[in-house]
Structure formats: C-alpha cells, structure tokens
Amino acid sequence: MKIGKATIPESAICTSDDETIVVRGENLCRDLIGKLGFVDYFFLLITGRRPDAAASRVLDATLVAIAEHGLVPSVQASRMTLAAAPDALQGAVAAGILGCGSVILGASETAGRMFARIDKLANERALALDAAAEVVVRELRAAGQAVPGYGHPLHKARDPRVARLFEVAAEAGTAGRFRAIAESVEQVLPAITGRELRLNVSAAIPAVLLDVGFPLDALRGVPILARTAGLIGHLTEELAQPIGFALSYQATRELRYTGALPEGWTPKTET
Amino acid sequence: MKIGKATIPESAICTSDDETIVVRGENLCRDLIGKLGFVDYFFLLITGRRPDAAASRVLDATLVAIAEHGLVPSVQASRMTLAAAPDALQGAVAAGILGCGSVILGASETAGRMFARIDKLANERALALDAAAEVVVRELRAAGQAVPGYGHPLHKARDPRVARLFEVAAEAGTAGRFRAIAESVEQVLPAITGRELRLNVSAAIPAVLLDVGFPLDALRGVPILARTAGLIGHLTEELAQPIGFALSYQATRELRYTGALPEGWTPKTET
Amino acid sequence: MKIGKATIPESAICTSDDETIVVRGENLCRDLIGKLGFVDYFFLLITGRRPDAAASRVLDATLVAIAEHGLVPSVQASRMTLAAAPDALQGAVAAGILGCGSVILGASETAGRMFARIDKLANERALALDAAAEVVVRELRAAGQAVPGYGHPLHKARDPRVARLFEVAAEAGTAGRFRAIAESVEQVLPAITGRELRLNVSAAIPAVLLDVGFPLDALRGVPILARTAGLIGHLTEELAQPIGFALSYQATRELRYTGALPEGWTPKTET
Amino acid sequence: MKIGKATIPESAICTSDDETIVVRGENLCRDLIGKLGFVDYFFLLITGRRPDAAASRVLDATLVAIAEHGLVPSVQASRMTLAAAPDALQGAVAAGILGCGSVILGASETAGRMFARIDKLANERALALDAAAEVVVRELRAAGQAVPGYGHPLHKARDPRVARLFEVAAEAGTAGRFRAIAESVEQVLPAITGRELRLNVSAAIPAVLLDVGFPLDALRGVPILARTAGLIGHLTEELAQPIGFALSYQATRELRYTGALPEGWTPKTET
C-alpha cells in the first residue's frame, strides 16, 4: 500500500559493495575502525561530519553523565523483563529504552527545544536572554505544560552532574550561549512558579550539546544511547545475580486493592 | 507475588546521596564525567573495572565495526516504526533493537559461546585448536544447529571488517587465542559442511573481545549498543527525509497473495 | 528514588488469595472463565463493569474491523523482526505494536478526542454539530495539525469498513451522536481543506465506541489489541513460510545512496 | 541486501482492492465484521479456518483465564514505562509484552511442545501416557531443563484456573487426550523430582488448546493476546491514577548496595 508521495527510498548514510563498506563518505574498514572512536562515530553517523575536539569531548561527557543512576524505573522494568524472558536480552534492553519518554530521559529533547525557542526569540526581537526566557516559560505555563529539565526528586540543590558538564564544556572552550540560556530559565523560574527549581541533567545535556552543534532532532538519542550502556550493565548483573522478581515482590508489599469483592468473600492471604 | 527465593534486591552498580553519585565505586562527577571515555565507562559498568589499553581499543573498534551497515532489516523495521509513530523515537529504537536476535546481531554471543567451548575442550583434553573445533562443530551439526558467525549474504570473501578487527587486536597486543580459535573453525568448516563459509563480523567480534577479558554474558550487548548508535543516525535522517513508508511500499510491490478468494470475486486493483 | 508524591500503590483491578482470583469484583474461575466472552472481559477490565448488549456487539465489531489489513508497515516491521530473532515471538509482536502510533493506528484515539471536543463545544454553546465541527477543524488547521481519521491511501471512496461499522452500530441500537459528529466533520472538510477526505476506519472506530460508553483514554487500546491478533496470525505464517528477509530485500531494490563516496572509489556491485 | 533464498514475498492472509478487503478468503466487511466474533476471527487469522463450537469456546476461556492476575512483573514494567513515557501507550504495552518470555507466560508454548513430544512418543512406541511422560520428563531433567507449566508461587494446591479450564473443555466435548497427557506429567513428577508440582495455568492452556486443533507454533500468541487486554486495563487505570513511580519507589526501599565506595566517602542519605 502506498502511503504518502515518496516511493523511491533514498539515504545518505551507507553504501557498500562486496569488498568495501562506505559510511558517510568514508571507508569503514580503512579509515574508521580502530581510528575513529565510537563516540565520534556516533556524531558522524548523525550529522555526516566528524566532530571537532570540543564537540567530541562534550558529547562523550554527556553520555557518561546520563548512562547510569541506579535502579530507576526504566532499569527496574528492564530487569523484570529479563527475569521473565531471560533468553531475549534485546527484549529487556528494548523495555528499558521504552521508558526514555517525555517525562524522564526524553526531557533532554523537550528542554533543548525550549532553549532553541528562547535563542530564536532573543535574536529576532533583540531581547536579553532573561527576558526571552521569561516569555517562553510563561507561554509554557499558560499552555499547561511543564518546564522540562528543572527540579529533581533526589538532588534538591543542583544536580551535581550539571556543574560538572558545564565545567567540561567551559574547558572545551565552547561558546556557552545555550548554557547561559539554561541558566536564564533557572533564574526566571522562582518568580513565575513560586518554586526554586534548579537545572537538572536533562537540561544541562541539551545546553552543552547545542553549543557544539549537535542537532536538535537527535537530542533524545543521547540519553537513549547512554542508557543502553547502563541497561547492558544492569542486565549482565541480572544474569549473574537476579533481582527482577525480588524488585517486583517488594514493589507490591504494601499494595492496596481498592476494588469491589465478591459478596461474602474475604481473602485468606491477600497477595 | 513472590517468585523465587530472593526478596531483598541487591546491586553493586550504583549508589548515591543528594550530592554524590557513586558508580562502580567511583565518584561519577569528580572522576568519570569528562575524564573516562564513554566506551571505557561501558566496560566499567559491565565488569566493575576499567579496561586496560588493549581492551579499550578493541572494544571501541568492535562498536564502530558493527554500528552501521545500511538499510538492514532491523533498520527498516525501525524507520517504518518511526514513520507510523513519529512522536516516540524511543519506540522506533526499541523496534530496531528487537531485531538483534539469534540469527543476525545476536550471533556474536552464540559464536562467543562456541569459542568458549572450544577453548575449554582444548584445555581439558589437551587438544589442538583444530581438533577441538572439529568436535564442537560436529556436535552443533548433529544437533541440527547452525554454526554462528560464518558466511555472509553480501561479502562472499571474508567480510572486510574481520581483517580490520583482527589487525586492530594484533596492534593492541592481545594474546590472540580466541582469534586462533575463530580461524580454526573456519578451517574445519569446508570438510564438515562442504561449503567455504568465511568468518564474518559476528564471529570476529567475540573472538577479539574474549581475548581482552570481555565477559561472555555481555557479548550480545556490544552489537545492541552499537546498533543503537546506528539506529539513531537513521532515525534522525528519517525525521528529516522520511522513507519508512516508501520502503514498505517497495517491499510489497511484488507480493503474491496465495490464499483463497471469495466466490466470484476478482480484485479490481490488487494491492 | 521517590518520584512524585504517591508512595503506596493502589489498584482496583485484581486481588487474590491461594484459592480465589478476584477481577473487578468478580470471581474469575467461578463467574468469568467460560461464562463471559473475552471481548466483554476486555470491556470489564477497562471500565470495571460488564458491557451491555450494544457495547458488546460494537466493541467486537471494531476489533474485527481493525485487526488485519495485509502487509502494512507495522506487520512488515514485525515479520522482519521475527526473521532476525525467531526465538522471541514476544519481541516481534512488540515491534509491530510500536507502530500503533499517532499517524496510523493511534489515530483512533486522536480522532476520538476531536469528537469529544466537538460534542462538548456543541453542548456548551448550543451549536449545531456542523458548526461545532467547523470550529474545531479550523482550530486544528490553524495549529498546523492534521485532521485525524479522514482520507485513506487505498480506499479513495469511503473505506468500506466505515459503512459496515456504522451499520452494526445502528443495528445494535446505539444513540448515534458520535456517528453524526464524525459525519459532520466529513461534511465540513471540503470547504476548509479543498479536498474530499472521507471518513476512514480510524474515525469510525471512536465514533461507534464513544456512543456505547467506551472510555476516551482507552481508545488506543482497541487497535492495539486488534492488531496483536493480526500480528500473531502473520507471525505464525512467518514461522512456517518466512518472508521477512524477502520483504527487506525488495524494500531496498531501488534504494538510492545520496551521500558522498570516498575519493576515487566506485562500487562494483552497489547494494 | 539479500538474506536467504526467497525474494518474492508471499502471504495467504489478506488481499484487497479499493472496495473490498479479503481476509483468509472471506469478505471482511460483508461476512466478518459484526458476524464473526473477535475470538473466532483470531482463530481464523491463525489457522485459515473458522473454529468449530468446541474450539471457539475453549479458546475464549483460555484468553479470559490468562488475561489478568494483578500486578505481576510484566504489568509493573508496563506501568513504570507509561509513567515515564505517558504519550506512548503502545510503548508501555510493548514493554509489558516483552515479559511474555520463556519463564512466565511463554511457558504455555514450552509446555505444549513437551505434550506434543509425549503424544508422539506414546503413539510411536505404543506406550501408556504415564510411561511416555516419564521418558520425556527424565530427558528434560537430564538436559538440565525445567519442566514448564508445573508449580506456582502462590497457588500451592492446583491453580484454580486449571480445574475450570478442564471443566470448560469437558463441557465443550473435546477429546481430552492432551488433558490426560498434562495430568500424566503431574503424576510422574513427584517420583522424579521429589516435589509435588501441580499443573498450573501455563500447562492447562496448551492442554485444552491442543485438544481443539490450535497450532503449536501459535500457542505463545494466546497469553500474548490475553495479556495485551490485561495491560490495556492496567494502563487505563495508570492514566487515571498513576502508581508506576510508587511501585518503583517501593521496589527499592530495601535495596542493598553491595559494591565498593570511594575512599573516605559515606552516603548522607543513601538512596
């Protein structure tokens, strides 16, 4: 069935014959394997060009920053899935990645889009960053939307990863406009929301990446790739020392059933 | 519901308080972000220790080798999924990863397990590698199982990535026992199967990784992490220049319907 | 880590002791298995009450209507996934379901939400349905959003499933307000968009389901459940007569590589 | 890239023109929607033929039996995924389905394959069912494999769904050979394993389905389809009353970190 107009698929990423594999215009075996690092290759795959030194360093730092933060919900989902289907590691990784949504890890993309709007607005209307940030945050609030990338359930002061990522970005000599935009949002938030919501890692990541030319549309890919590494670490541990079912047991120890019961029935040992 | 015996979950990967995140015994913000590369961090997450120089170089090379090979089936599945559900990048990545199964990318693990058996058999019975390889390959054949990691639909001569990975491993100074095991399988295959089946990248990857102490149970994680990078490249292209529906249109242009038809009905324009 | 305020999980769906399983207040083994049909049970699971005869008949008809329409993109993605990972049927089903997104099958939910807004607007402002439909469609267009559930790549006249579903709903004696709303959108579309876009199955499904009290939030669940049945049919065929790789081969026969080539290299046999 | 020999895809499930959709030789709109129930349609999609009355009744009963059993691990994984990615219901369903693996719900298929072997062995060697069951169970044990479908973490006596499914199958007038095979396994287990392991629902389902001609290769599809209905019930509740994060909080309240700590560091408030 034909859906849409295009019928001849095109791609600019990879071609090959039986001797040579070409990726983004380069000879994979001769020029990339063992010569270009995996993180730089990830940048090349996405953008079609090799990263400069600053982009390479910053991208690598963001991947390390977000790969692992313990038994967060998506890791629990992944370990429970492996416990139930131990033959299909890829299925457990997929289950974990499916939690990289708008609320948690995907916030990197949403925050990046907010920063890009502030940048554009400041440029178009010749506004100071704080003024542009205030406009955009007020618009989000008026539309009933959350401000992505601020506040953290555990790190009430600034998430420690934020300072470190900003430090790496500064050391790498990046321009810092998007870091400044991220901080301008942090500054206007208390007056608008009545709460001290500090920058978290999901805002720091797009701030430092947009400063090195990483594309907006690929931002969600950074936490996804990083968490895949973290998930594989957890799943390797799960294969050796399973806790998936123990987690699910603990999760429901205080579960309350709030529905109806059949007439005259009371549970002997509720579960 | 309690399944299994363990009820208190334990993990050795990560702990934190509101100021500090500890991963594998190291302070994430102070000692890892911007200091340890993402590939080395992946090794640390899985094994609990930092890789030595050889392990670092070889692991990086394998990730670059397997990340991208054009519009293979799992990439098509992923791009079709994004075309149908463009708001959920994580879903399209998950769909692509679900194709890292026993036949294609998961063969890295299966081949690695075969090599580990050959290694053990050669040690236990003081056999030459060729002799041990022959025993194990004959056992697989007798059980009706495929020999994983040999032969390639496109690269009839050796997959060019194999030579390059072996070269990188040799440059890195690794012992090479598992490379030798992989080649011994290649040597015994023609006599047993009647076919010249050359080492492909799914056998080369476990061969070079087992030589640097990468754990067997985590082998499937390498193509999964690598392909995640490749998928994000493709999905970023898909957002800019969609071909998911064009691929699905092409796929069925010659489709033959082989089922029954309602009495008296002939299609006007079969689709 | 505590995210959000609630810490004690509650659910009204199921409880049990070692002899009895209670679902939505009923004794599963005594009163449901073999007594209540699966489609009615699906309604009970979602809403907490058994469907009346009209709701039962209409829900069943929608599930049959949307379960199968040949090798659509999500079915292709699913069959390619099984070809690559044949041991994990659940992974191939998951890959297929991941294509139930906003563009294709998820349109049932989006269309349902549009109908609910038209209904509310007509009630609140005492408008005729056509007038309310016009307001809502113009708002969608002004926001740059597609009108979900109208037009079909194959069925240029009305999708034949629409008439049949409306017929079943009428036979079942449902009120028909949401069918009328769906048709009012069809009537206002040509003047607003300049195109004859006819109701398709993704608009007919929410129209008939909202008329029998099926909840808005569960609408996307109907195509998901239905397609799961269709996918299992396809995957059973795939196990017996594999075409996953043939589909992927066909899909790329006319693929054009539009990227750069290494200097001096021309492919021998481009793939 | 061409993988395997077949290049022209064929399917016997569905064809259509712009007016008519044909499924398994029948006119979808004229003969199926509103006339054939969804469960019977599922049977038709898989097998190419409509079920007889016994098959229809038994298949329906198995779907109701297995659709819902509270907050089992795969439901928890699904609800946690929705909490993190609430825009993508399909992703949360997929995460839940990915737990239908070899250990939990997929056991229906594994048990079915064991029963088919016992049936074949009894026929070929003219053995009594108990004798054939003993041979097969001893083989499984010798190969270090679990006996699928026996024992239950909660229902120490026979899972109450077993008796009810067997009752429905008997009422429907099915032959009962596979029920007898399932019970013969139960009888030989204590002598072989030293434990009273009673038939659970994952063995009862294939027993009653194989007796009505349901295909072995599609067995895993029954719990997958059924659980999809259960998951949609849970996800609808999750959208209204979220507990995904509360479950994940509870799951880790007693979590023990067993890894190393940075020198001199002690957590202020371990999480």
Side-chain angles (χ1 to χ4, degrees):
Chain A
M1 192 182 308
K2 194 179 145 196
I3 307 173
K5 286 176 192 165
T7 56
I8 305 295
E10 295 185 345
S11 174
I13 297 178
C14 178
T15 190
S16 52
D17 64 14
D18 62 357
E19 288 175 1
T20 306
I21 300 166
V22 172
V23 179
R24 291 298 196 180
E26 305 208 38
N27 183 322
L28 174 65
C29 294
R30 192 190 63 196
D31 301 329
L32 299 173
I33 298 173
K35 295 186 177 166
L36 190 74
F38 177 61
V39 170
D40 292 355
Y41 188 51
F42 177 50
F43 190 100
L44 174 67
L45 283 168
I46 289 172
T47 66
R49 64 181 195 280
R50 294 183 177 211
D52 61 21
S56 173
R57 178 135 198 255
V58 165
L59 176 57
D60 203 316
T62 58
L63 289 165
V64 172
I66 196 72
E68 173 60 33
H69 198 328
L71 283 150
V72 294
S74 58
V75 169
Q76 292 185 33
S78 179
R79 292 186 77 145
M80 289 179 191
T81 303
L82 193 71
D87 305 326
L89 191 79
Q90 73 276 15
V93 174
I97 284 174
L98 287 166
C100 293
S102 53
V103 171
I104 300 195
L105 292 160
S108 282
E109 180 188 333
T110 332
R113 295 195 183 281
M114 176 176 69
F115 298 159
R117 282 208 59 223
I118 294 170
D119 177 51
K120 196 174 165 221
L121 197 71
N123 285 332
E124 286 176 356
R125 300 198 202 161
L127 293 177
L129 293 182
D130 280 19
E134 188 170 340
V135 172
V136 171
V137 171
R138 286 197 187 280
E139 282 174 5
L140 281 172
R141 300 276 294 179
Q145 294 184 294
V147 179
Y150 292 80
H152 193 279
L154 171 63
H155 308 289
K156 293 302 176 195
R158 255 199 197 178
D159 183 326
R161 293 169 290 183
V162 174
R164 182 58 189 143
L165 283 176
F166 279 19
E167 194 174 55
V168 170
E171 287 168 11
T174 69
R177 178 170 176 87
F178 283 97
R179 273 180 280 147
I181 290 173
E183 295 192 316
S184 70
V185 171
E186 194 180 54
Q187 280 158 18
V188 304
L189 277 174
I192 300 175
T193 67
R195 295 169 62 200
E196 292 279 344
L197 292 167
R198 313 303 302 271
L199 257 168
N200 68 36
V201 72
S202 288
I205 286 174
V208 300
L209 284 174
L210 292 173
D211 271 329
V212 296
F214 195 86
L216 255 182
D217 276 350
L219 276 178
R220 197 179 288 200
V222 171
I224 289 175
L225 181 65
R227 277 297 155 106
T228 302
L231 288 167
I232 293 164
H234 277 282
L235 295 171
T236 306
E237 188 182 68
E238 180 72 21
L239 289 171
Q241 298 183 283
I243 62 170
F245 291 142
L247 288 167
S248 94
Y249 166 71
Q250 291 286 338
T252 53
R253 282 180 63 191
E254 301 200 27
L255 179 67
R256 288 183 195 144
Y257 176 68
T258 58
L261 292 178
E263 214 178 293
W265 183 80
T266 48
K268 293 201 304 187
T269 54
E270 192 169 340
T271 57
Chain B
M1 192 182 307
K2 194 179 146 198
I3 308 173
K5 287 176 191 163
T7 56
I8 305 296
E10 297 185 342
S11 174
I13 296 178
C14 178
T15 191
S16 53
D17 65 15
D18 63 356
E19 287 175 3
T20 307
I21 300 166
V22 173
V23 179
R24 291 297 195 182
E26 305 208 38
N27 183 321
L28 174 65
C29 294
R30 192 189 64 194
D31 301 328
L32 299 173
I33 298 174
K35 294 186 178 167
L36 189 75
F38 177 61
V39 170
D40 291 354
Y41 188 52
F42 176 51
F43 190 99
L44 174 67
L45 284 168
I46 290 172
T47 65
R49 64 181 196 280
R50 294 184 177 210
D52 61 23
S56 173
R57 179 135 198 256
V58 165
L59 177 57
D60 203 315
T62 58
L63 289 164
V64 171
I66 196 72
E68 172 60 34
H69 198 327
L71 283 150
V72 295
S74 58
V75 169
Q76 292 185 31
S78 179
R79 292 186 76 147
M80 289 180 192
T81 302
L82 192 71
D87 304 327
L89 190 79
Q90 74 276 14
V93 174
I97 284 173
L98 288 167
C100 293
S102 53
V103 171
I104 299 196
L105 292 160
S108 283
E109 180 188 334
T110 332
R113 295 196 184 281
M114 176 176 68
F115 298 159
R117 283 208 57 225
I118 293 171
D119 176 51
K120 196 174 166 220
L121 196 71
N123 285 333
E124 285 176 356
R125 300 199 202 159
L127 292 177
L129 293 183
D130 280 20
E134 189 171 339
V135 172
V136 170
V137 170
R138 286 197 188 279
E139 282 173 5
L140 281 173
R141 302 275 296 179
Q145 295 184 294
V147 179
Y150 292 80
H152 192 279
L154 171 62
H155 307 289
K156 293 302 175 193
R158 256 199 197 176
D159 183 326
R161 292 169 290 183
V162 174
R164 181 59 189 141
L165 284 176
F166 278 19
E167 195 174 56
V168 170
E171 287 168 13
T174 68
R177 178 169 176 86
F178 283 96
R179 274 181 280 145
I181 290 173
E183 295 193 316
S184 71
V185 172
E186 194 180 53
Q187 278 157 19
V188 304
L189 277 174
I192 300 175
T193 67
R195 296 169 61 199
E196 292 278 343
L197 292 167
R198 313 303 303 270
L199 257 168
N200 68 35
V201 72
S202 288
I205 285 174
V208 299
L209 285 174
L210 292 173
D211 272 328
V212 297
F214 196 86
L216 256 182
D217 275 351
L219 276 178
R220 197 180 288 200
V222 171
I224 289 175
L225 181 65
R227 276 298 155 105
T228 301
L231 288 166
I232 293 164
H234 277 282
L235 295 171
T236 306
E237 188 182 68
E238 181 72 21
L239 289 170
Q241 298 183 284
I243 61 170
F245 292 142
L247 288 168
S248 93
Y249 167 69
Q250 291 287 340
T252 52
R253 282 180 64 192
E254 301 199 28
L255 179 67
R256 289 184 195 141
Y257 176 67
T258 58
L261 292 178
E263 214 178 293
W265 184 79
T266 48
K268 292 202 304 186
T269 53
E270 192 170 339
T271 57
Chain C
M1 192 182 308
K2 194 178 146 197
I3 307 173
K5 286 176 192 165
T7 56
I8 304 296
E10 296 186 344
S11 174
I13 297 178
C14 179
T15 190
S16 53
D17 64 14
D18 62 356
E19 287 175 2
T20 307
I21 299 166
V22 173
V23 178
R24 292 298 196 180
E26 305 208 38
N27 183 322
L28 174 65
C29 294
R30 191 191 63 196
D31 302 328
L32 299 172
I33 298 174
K35 295 185 177 167
L36 189 73
F38 177 62
V39 169
D40 292 354
Y41 188 51
F42 177 51
F43 191 99
L44 174 67
L45 283 168
I46 289 173
T47 65
R49 64 181 195 280
R50 294 184 178 211
D52 61 22
S56 173
R57 178 136 198 256
V58 165
L59 177 57
D60 203 314
T62 59
L63 289 165
V64 171
I66 196 71
E68 172 60 34
H69 198 326
L71 283 150
V72 295
S74 58
V75 170
Q76 292 185 32
S78 179
R79 292 186 76 145
M80 288 180 193
T81 302
L82 193 71
D87 304 327
L89 191 80
Q90 75 275 16
V93 174
I97 285 173
L98 287 167
C100 292
S102 55
V103 170
I104 299 195
L105 292 160
S108 283
E109 180 188 334
T110 333
R113 294 195 184 281
M114 176 176 69
F115 298 158
R117 284 208 56 225
I118 293 170
D119 176 52
K120 197 175 166 218
L121 197 71
N123 285 333
E124 286 177 356
R125 299 198 201 159
L127 293 177
L129 292 183
D130 280 18
E134 187 169 341
V135 172
V136 170
V137 171
R138 287 197 187 279
E139 282 174 4
L140 281 173
R141 301 275 296 179
Q145 295 184 295
V147 179
Y150 292 79
H152 193 280
L154 172 63
H155 307 289
K156 295 301 174 193
R158 254 199 198 178
D159 183 327
R161 293 168 289 184
V162 173
R164 181 58 189 142
L165 283 176
F166 279 18
E167 195 175 57
V168 170
E171 288 167 12
T174 69
R177 178 170 175 84
F178 283 96
R179 274 181 280 146
I181 290 173
E183 295 192 316
S184 71
V185 172
E186 194 180 54
Q187 279 158 19
V188 304
L189 275 175
I192 300 175
T193 68
R195 296 168 61 198
E196 293 279 344
L197 292 167
R198 312 303 302 272
L199 257 167
N200 68 36
V201 72
S202 288
I205 286 174
V208 299
L209 285 174
L210 292 172
D211 272 328
V212 295
F214 195 86
L216 255 182
D217 275 351
L219 276 178
R220 195 180 289 201
V222 172
I224 288 176
L225 181 65
R227 277 298 154 106
T228 301
L231 288 167
I232 294 164
H234 277 282
L235 294 172
T236 306
E237 187 182 68
E238 180 72 20
L239 289 170
Q241 298 183 283
I243 61 169
F245 291 141
L247 288 166
S248 93
Y249 166 70
Q250 292 286 338
T252 53
R253 281 180 64 191
E254 300 200 27
L255 179 67
R256 288 183 195 142
Y257 176 67
T258 58
L261 292 178
E263 216 179 291
W265 184 79
T266 48
K268 292 202 303 187
T269 53
E270 193 170 340
T271 57
Chain D
M1 193 182 307
K2 194 179 145 198
I3 308 173
K5 286 176 193 164
T7 56
I8 305 296
E10 296 186 344
S11 174
I13 297 177
C14 178
T15 191
S16 53
D17 65 14
D18 63 355
E19 287 175 2
T20 307
I21 299 167
V22 173
V23 178
R24 290 297 195 180
E26 305 207 39
N27 183 322
L28 174 65
C29 294
R30 192 190 62 197
D31 301 328
L32 300 172
I33 298 174
K35 295 186 177 166
L36 189 74
F38 176 62
V39 170
D40 291 354
Y41 188 51
F42 177 50
F43 191 100
L44 174 67
L45 284 168
I46 289 172
T47 65
R49 64 182 195 279
R50 295 184 178 212
D52 61 23
S56 172
R57 179 135 197 257
V58 165
L59 176 58
D60 203 315
T62 59
L63 289 165
V64 171
I66 196 71
E68 173 59 34
H69 198 326
L71 283 151
V72 295
S74 58
V75 170
Q76 292 186 32
S78 179
R79 291 185 78 145
M80 289 181 192
T81 302
L82 193 71
D87 305 327
L89 191 78
Q90 74 276 14
V93 175
I97 285 174
L98 288 167
C100 293
S102 53
V103 170
I104 299 195
L105 292 160
S108 283
E109 179 189 334
T110 332
R113 294 195 184 283
M114 176 176 69
F115 298 158
R117 282 209 58 223
I118 294 170
D119 177 51
K120 197 175 166 219
L121 197 70
N123 285 333
E124 285 177 356
R125 301 199 201 160
L127 294 176
L129 292 183
D130 280 19
E134 188 170 339
V135 171
V136 170
V137 170
R138 287 197 186 278
E139 281 174 5
L140 281 172
R141 300 275 296 178
Q145 295 184 294
V147 179
Y150 292 80
H152 193 279
L154 171 62
H155 307 289
K156 295 300 174 194
R158 254 200 198 177
D159 182 328
R161 293 169 290 184
V162 173
R164 181 59 189 141
L165 283 176
F166 279 18
E167 194 175 57
V168 170
E171 288 167 13
T174 68
R177 177 170 176 86
F178 284 97
R179 274 180 281 145
I181 290 173
E183 295 192 316
S184 71
V185 172
E186 195 180 54
Q187 280 158 17
V188 304
L189 276 174
I192 300 176
T193 68
R195 297 167 61 199
E196 292 279 343
L197 292 167
R198 312 303 302 270
L199 256 168
N200 68 37
V201 73
S202 288
I205 285 174
V208 298
L209 285 174
L210 291 173
D211 271 329
V212 296
F214 195 85
L216 255 183
D217 276 350
L219 275 178
R220 196 180 289 200
V222 171
I224 289 176
L225 181 65
R227 277 298 155 106
T228 301
L231 288 167
I232 293 164
H234 277 281
L235 295 172
T236 306
E237 188 182 68
E238 180 72 21
L239 288 170
Q241 297 183 285
I243 61 169
F245 291 142
L247 288 167
S248 92
Y249 166 70
Q250 291 287 337
T252 53
R253 281 180 64 191
E254 302 200 26
L255 178 67
R256 290 184 194 143
Y257 175 68
T258 59
L261 292 178
E263 214 179 294
W265 184 80
T266 48
K268 293 201 305 186
T269 53
E270 192 171 341
T271 57

